[in-house]
Amino acid sequence: MKIISMINYRQFRLTVTSLMLVIIATFTASIPLTIFQTDKMPEVKAAFTTLPLMPVSHLYPPPVTTAKSVFIVDVNTGIVLYAKNPTEKLQPASLTKIMTAIVAMDYYNEDSVLNVTNGAQAEGSTADLRANDQLLANDMLYALLIPSGNDAAVALAENYPGGYYAFVAKMNQKARQLGLLNTHFTNVSGVEGPNHYTSAYDITEIALNALQRNIFKNIVATKKITLKSLKGHVYPLESTNILLGQPGILGVKTGWTPLAGECLVTYADKYDHPIISSVLGSDDRFGETEKLLDWVYTNYSWL
């Protein structure tokens, strides 16, 4: 669906008919209690051009999860489907790379030539990029998002005007532009640090922004691909997201560090009802995400 305008749910609610207000009131009464057990939560922006179908709960209890924080939203309406500590500040691990990708997409052209320098020395999850190699910016995004390449994250930042820390500053500026209250970055890859954090709500907003770009949507939906650099080096890449390939699972990003635990942001679309699920601090990000998605599509009907 082509996005023409961005309006939040509260603004939309003022324009619907009396009948729709009744439906919304019924839905609101059926939202799991956990949603209201948090501090004041910002509204999720919805993107649509025509009157969307509204999710209505059947009051089935949500699954029990080990995740410290969960946030699930209906993409078409911005209605919150489930929330557990959605504004708690937590380590995002490699979910950070969603914002890294946004800043890179904002600045680089797809065919911009990027050099690999210090990125080749990156530790942790990498795409095994070679020192002094050159890749197109579009290919560097594949290396960033599919195998969760820390080396690609550093390369994207080091080729930015002003270098690495200017890139990080831009990430924080973008977070402020999106109105995010519980996000701050100190690096581009998700390295643990006391001032490097986000929340399930905030990372959902970041993912929604990234998914407005077809480049990002195509990359995070890719399970395997082989890249060839401008110097002829070949890089076979495989996604860290083992849910890709299952019906309706379209991305987005994995993350893990010892302090962050298992993290996963998922874009799912079953029965033409797209949702975003964000799970932070889990002991089983893939299994719990599967349970949550099954619960959403069983518990809700779109009327």
Side-chain angles (χ1 to χ4, degrees):
M1 180 178 65
K2 183 178 180 182
I3 297 175
I4 297 178
S5 62
M6 294 290 294
I7 61 175
N8 63 40
Y9 177 60
R10 180 178 294 172
Q11 293 169 325
F12 167 76
R13 187 173 58 186
L14 296 175
T15 67
V16 296
T17 63
S18 298
L19 177 61
M20 187 58 70
L21 284 171
V22 172
I23 295 175
I24 294 171
T26 302
F27 164 76
T28 302
S30 66
I31 296 176
L33 182 60
T34 53
I35 292 179
F36 298 104
Q37 293 175 338
T38 63
D39 51 346
K40 185 177 181 181
M41 187 164 51
E43 296 176 357
V44 177
K45 297 178 182 178
F48 47 84
T49 58
T50 58
L51 186 68
L53 299 178
M54 312 299 275
V56 178
S57 174
H58 294 292
L59 299 180
Y60 302 144
V64 176
T65 61
T66 63
K68 294 179 181 178
S69 181
V70 179
F71 191 72
I72 306 176
V73 65
D74 178 55
V75 172
N76 287 337
T77 63
I79 290 176
V80 177
L81 304 178
Y82 178 69
K84 175 185 177 181
N85 304 323
T87 60
E88 181 178 353
K89 294 178 182 178
L90 295 168
Q91 295 282 328
S94 285
L95 300 185
T96 300
K97 295 183 176 99
I98 304 174
M99 182 62 90
T100 304
I102 289 175
V103 173
M105 290 185 293
D106 282 347
Y107 178 73
Y108 296 116
N109 296 322
E110 292 183 47
D111 58 355
S112 297
V113 177
L114 306 184
N115 298 308
V116 180
T117 51
N118 293 320
Q121 303 173 19
E123 298 179 351
S125 178
T126 69
D128 295 326
L129 301 180
R130 299 192 182 194
N132 302 316
D133 205 356
Q134 292 182 323
L135 282 80
L136 297 180
N138 189 61
D139 289 342
M140 196 70 80
L141 287 169
Y142 274 91
L144 172 78
L145 296 167
I146 294 180
S148 196
N150 294 345
D151 44 3
V154 173
L156 287 164
E158 289 188 335
N159 284 269
Y160 190 78
Y164 186 95
Y165 292 106
F167 191 98
V168 174
K170 193 67 176 179
M171 293 169 66
N172 288 315
Q173 180 183 352
K174 189 70 177 182
R176 292 191 296 271
Q177 289 175 350
L178 293 175
L180 306 182
L181 303 177
N182 298 296
T183 294
H184 186 266
F185 302 107
T186 60
N187 63 81
V188 297
S189 59
V191 176
E192 294 175 353
N195 292 317
H196 190 88
Y197 54 82
T198 190
S199 67
Y201 168 82
D202 284 8
I203 200 66
T204 301
E205 283 282 15
I206 293 170
L208 283 167
N209 183 275
L211 287 164
Q212 293 178 31
R213 304 128 190 272
N214 287 330
I215 295 172
F216 184 88
K217 289 180 71 174
N218 292 336
I219 293 174
V220 297
T222 302
K223 196 170 183 66
K224 291 184 180 180
I225 194 172
T226 298
L227 304 179
K228 188 173 183 179
S229 74
L230 297 178
K231 292 189 175 183
H233 298 301
V234 175
Y235 299 108
L237 308 178
E238 184 171 357
S239 177
T240 56
N241 188 352
I242 66 174
L243 296 186
L244 275 182
Q246 295 187 15
I249 305 299
L250 306 177
V252 175
K253 189 72 191 71
T254 62
W256 177 87
T257 67
L259 184 59
E262 297 187 18
C263 304
L264 181 63
V265 176
T266 304
Y267 177 45
D269 189 354
K270 296 182 180 180
Y271 322 115
D272 294 323
H273 302 305
I275 66 173
I276 297 284
S277 166
S278 295
V279 172
L280 277 68
S282 170
D283 292 339
D284 180 13
R285 57 187 170 183
F286 298 117
E288 292 186 343
T289 293
E290 286 182 302
K291 291 178 182 179
L292 287 164
L293 295 181
D294 288 343
W295 171 77
V296 164
Y297 287 112
T298 300
N299 179 59
Y300 284 95
S301 296
W302 277 259
L303 305 178

